[in-house]
Amino acid sequence: MKNKIKFLILMFIVIYSNAFSQINKENNCFSINLLIDSFINNLIDKEANLNENYLIIKSLKDKDGNYNIDFALSIGNLDTLKVTSSEKEMKLRYGNIKILLIGKTNEDLIFLKKSIKKTKNIFSNKDISKNNTNFYDEDYVWSTFFDNKKELINFYIPEEKEVAYKIFNSLKNKINISPKFKTLDCSCW
């Protein structure tokens, strides 16, 4: 009888600890890797050369705890770039892509760094001789807005409607979308 009680207590402890440890892990699992991958692959499809350029990811947290995260490709040497004195910056690698993280505060940078998981992806251009430079300006920026629960509220992709929806539809079942999400914003040319 004593052995049975010990066994039941032990089983209860094991089940209880496993259940709560899994719940805690899932609550802290916010990642923007899918958005980064989709952004980079979209640029590769448009023949933007990734070899000598870098990705900029900018995050700003508002007073309600919501995050605006922008994705852009920039041309030039990341090592010599300086951001404005009012912004914080951090450089890292994502597979073979150089990334510049920019935030208004150190908290913004820490949030971004935690949101980017390591990847083994290697991104390469189909034809390195081509370099479509239309993506190196401030006009081609994917902009996302997440609420304080890390659910997507708004998503802007500067593409024609059909292309923007194709990109969004490939992502929508893989990311948390808020019930407040209205529609995808795009450049409806």
Side-chain angles (χ1 to χ4, degrees), residues 38-130:
S38 184
F39 183 80
I40 293 170
N41 286 323
N42 185 55
L43 290 172
I44 290 171
D45 289 344
K46 296 188 175 302
E47 298 177 340
N49 193 327
L50 302 173
N51 291 335
E52 298 300 321
N53 305 305
Y54 56 93
L55 178 62
I56 295 175
I57 302 176
K58 186 171 188 172
S59 173
L60 297 172
K61 183 179 181 181
D62 69 15
K63 62 182 170 62
D64 298 323
N66 303 316
Y67 276 95
N68 174 232
I69 303 173
D70 292 338
F71 302 83
L73 185 68
S74 193
I75 191 168
N77 186 346
L78 178 61
D79 298 325
T80 60
L81 176 84
K82 297 291 180 197
V83 297
T84 63
S85 60
S86 64
E87 296 178 317
K88 308 291 182 192
E89 69 175 78
M90 182 184 300
K91 298 168 185 168
L92 59 91
R93 286 191 116 6
Y94 183 79
N96 62 322
I97 302 293
K98 295 176 268 185
I99 296 181
L100 174 65
L101 304 179
I102 300 175
K104 188 173 183 179
T105 66
N106 285 331
E107 185 182 350
D108 291 334
L109 291 179
I110 291 167
F111 168 76
L112 276 177
K113 188 172 181 190
K114 285 182 178 179
S115 301
I116 300 172
K117 310 303 179 216
K118 290 191 182 221
T119 185
K120 293 181 180 179
N121 291 348
I122 301 297
F123 302 94
S124 61
N125 291 93
K126 296 171 184 167
D127 182 352
I128 348 180
S129 67
K130 295 185 179 179

Side-chain angles (χ1 to χ4, degrees), residues 13-27:
I13 291 170
V14 168
I15 292 170
Y16 185 80
S17 67
N18 281 340
F20 281 101
S21 67
Q22 290 176 1
I23 290 171
N24 289 337
K25 287 178 186 172
E26 288 188 24
N27 286 340

